[in-house]
Amino acid sequence: MSFRLSQRDKDIIAFINQFRAVDRDSLVDLFFKQLKSPINACNSVMVRLYRLGLIERTQQYSPTVYLPVDAKIKKNSQKILHFLSILDVYKQMCTYSIPKPVIVEISPLVERRN
């Protein structure tokens, strides 16, 4: 099956990969707010991306939370709430101006001692 992703689809996938856990309402606010039926549009796009295997989802939260395909986060992990909190701070910052360089969380380098 051949498919073509729109620029918005690519932006959504990149955003999910960057923030590691994104809820549906945040996606509506950031990518679909200008549409006539933003929630319906978001739901249909996210179901399509999920069925194509480009994102993962967990329905343990309401609304649904979307995760990267290669996420090392379990679908019931408490870290999801941590990443959603980071996303909330980002959305608050966006009310003033959209921050360009966003580093969600830096993983500390672990030194191996032999």
Side-chain angles (χ1 to χ4, degrees):
M1 168 167 67
S2 70
F3 58 90
R4 224 176 144 116
L5 296 176
S6 68
Q7 186 59 48
R8 181 181 62 195
D9 294 344
K10 293 174 186 175
D11 292 343
I12 290 170
I13 293 167
F15 190 80
I16 292 171
N17 286 335
Q18 181 180 14
F19 282 88
R20 299 185 194 132
V22 180
D23 64 320
R24 196 255 345 252
D25 289 346
S26 296
L27 290 170
V28 168
D29 289 344
L30 296 169
F31 293 100
F32 298 93
K33 190 187 288 187
Q34 73 282 2
L35 300 177
K36 185 177 179 182
S37 301
I39 293 174
N40 291 339
C42 180
N43 286 340
S44 64
V45 167
M46 299 314 291
V47 165
R48 181 172 48 83
L49 294 177
Y50 174 72
R51 288 182 179 159
L52 290 171
L54 300 172
I55 58 171
E56 286 293 323
R57 70 180 178 194
T58 178
Q59 295 176 324
Q60 291 196 340
Y61 302 93
S62 181
T64 302
V65 173
Y66 297 95
L67 309 165
V69 172
D70 59 351
K72 294 181 168 87
I73 305 170
K74 294 180 184 175
K75 291 185 178 184
N76 60 355
S77 173
Q78 289 297 312
K79 283 193 126 198
I80 290 175
L81 297 175
H82 170 75
F83 289 120
L84 290 176
S85 296
I86 293 172
L87 178 60
D88 282 340
V89 171
Y90 174 79
K91 286 179 8 184
Q92 290 173 14
M93 290 168 53
C94 286
T95 60
Y96 301 104
S97 68
I98 298 174
K100 291 293 178 192
V102 177
I103 300 172
V104 174
E105 192 172 72
I106 299 173
S107 299
L109 297 175
V110 178
E111 290 184 26
R112 284 187 158 183
R113 296 183 185 214
N114 293 334

